[in-house]
Amino acid sequence: MDVLALPAFSLLILSCASNGALPVAIFGNALVHFLGEISFSIYLIHALFLEVGARVADVYAPGSI
């Protein structure tokens, strides 16, 4: 399966980059754009939440992490 994954992902990237009708229909709408915006912002701050969660867990259950 790994041998097929590289060409498959390459074709997927090329088809999305070509601005064809199908990729534009799938990825060019407002909902997908909104989901991309919020996922990027969550990516930027998720390390902060992980650190705070680890510290809280250490306070309430020492040695658990």
Side-chain angles (χ1 to χ4, degrees):
M1 292 305 285
D2 292 339
V3 174
L4 298 176
L6 183 62
F9 281 117
S10 299
L11 288 174
L12 176 66
I13 291 169
L14 287 173
S15 68
C16 289
S18 69
N19 288 332
L22 184 60
V24 169
I26 294 172
F27 300 114
N29 60 45
L31 176 64
V32 174
H33 180 77
F34 173 72
L35 292 174
E37 291 286 330
I38 63 171
S39 70
F40 182 67
S41 63
I42 290 171
Y43 163 74
L44 289 176
I45 63 171
H46 83 280
L48 172 67
F49 288 105
L50 290 174
E51 182 66 30
V52 169
R55 289 178 188 251
V56 168
D58 195 37
V59 167
Y60 289 107
S64 64
I65 53 173

